[in-house]
Amino acid sequence: MQLLATILVSIALLTSASAQFTGLNTSREYNIRTCLKPGQPGKARFDNLWLDDYHTGAGLSDAVFFPTRTNVTAAGYLYPTNQTSAAGQKYYYQAFNLGNPFPWQLVMAFNTNFYAAWQPVRVNAGLGGGDTTGESSGFFLNSTGLQYGGAEGGFDGWLVCNWWHEMPQLFFRITGYGDFTPLSCADVYLMPEYI
């Protein structure tokens, strides 16, 4: 009898937690589209791509792009944090609804083991605390789309490269390395397109 009671309480708690996570999004959802930065001849293939996730493990994904919006399942929204920049900019989690009973989040996968001009971006399960793969808070929107300010002075823009998954993948530039861009990459803005 105690086992049955324990199971029923566990189910009730899981159902309550699931409902809580589903209700996190109180804002209008959007898909994220690339907008090629000016002055990059021959890189039109990186313009007007749509962000989604590419499964790499349990609850882990890389941020990748598809050429048409119809393939996209990542419905983005900003979820508030209690953080602001020194200048007063309010920071958010860049969250996604992927059709699960829990949110996913954009994660800046900083790797301090080596010096690199850019780093990958992930779309991982969960929201906020407990993230051990990188930085997940510090996002905001402005006139040039999605920005990141969580690593003060460390973010220098978005880079899309056709590398690891044989499809365009999202990376972020790190300040201080110049502006060299390989032929298989392009500098882009990430613009919200509301659903």
Side-chain angles (χ1 to χ4, degrees):
M1 191 67 158
Q2 284 182 329
L3 178 61
L4 180 59
T6 302
I7 292 171
L8 290 175
V9 168
S10 297
I11 291 172
L13 288 173
L14 287 173
T15 303
S16 173
S18 175
Q20 177 187 5
F21 283 127
T22 304
L24 284 176
N25 182 11
T26 59
S27 65
R28 189 171 170 198
E29 292 182 338
Y30 49 83
N31 296 126
I32 295 177
R33 177 183 59 85
T34 62
C35 180
L36 190 65
K37 287 186 177 180
Q40 299 182 87
K43 297 195 178 187
R45 67 188 181 277
F46 295 108
D47 198 25
N48 292 313
L49 300 175
W50 300 91
L51 187 131
D52 209 350
D53 67 307
Y54 184 98
H55 177 79
T56 59
L60 305 172
S61 299
D62 285 333
V64 298
F65 293 92
F66 288 97
T68 60
R69 192 175 191 177
T70 56
N71 294 337
V72 174
T73 60
Y77 60 97
L78 293 177
Y79 186 74
T81 70
N82 59 359
Q83 300 173 335
T84 58
S85 72
Q89 172 65 53
K90 185 163 177 45
Y91 288 154
Y92 298 86
Y93 297 108
Q94 174 52 65
F96 293 99
N97 175 358
L98 297 181
N100 306 97
F102 51 85
W104 292 69
Q105 66 185 338
L106 207 61
V107 177
M108 309 294 268
F110 285 98
N111 186 334
T112 57
N113 294 326
F114 56 89
Y115 296 106
W118 52 84
Q119 299 284 329
V121 179
R122 314 269 191 243
V123 178
N124 291 345
L127 192 61
D131 173 34
T132 59
T133 62
E135 298 293 325
S136 60
S137 63
F139 294 95
F140 61 96
L141 292 171
N142 68 15
S143 63
T144 57
L146 187 66
Q147 304 297 320
Y148 180 74
E152 295 291 340
F155 174 75
D156 200 21
W158 303 109
L159 191 65
V160 175
C161 301
N162 195 7
W163 282 3
W164 297 349
H165 303 298
E166 296 185 16
M167 62 191 335
Q169 181 179 346
L170 183 61
F171 294 84
F172 66 97
R173 285 187 177 276
I174 297 174
T175 303
Y177 284 93
D179 58 0
F180 170 75
T181 304
L183 293 175
S184 60
C185 301
D187 290 288
V188 297
Y189 299 115
L190 297 180
M191 303 304 294
E193 296 286 333
Y194 291 94
I195 299 173

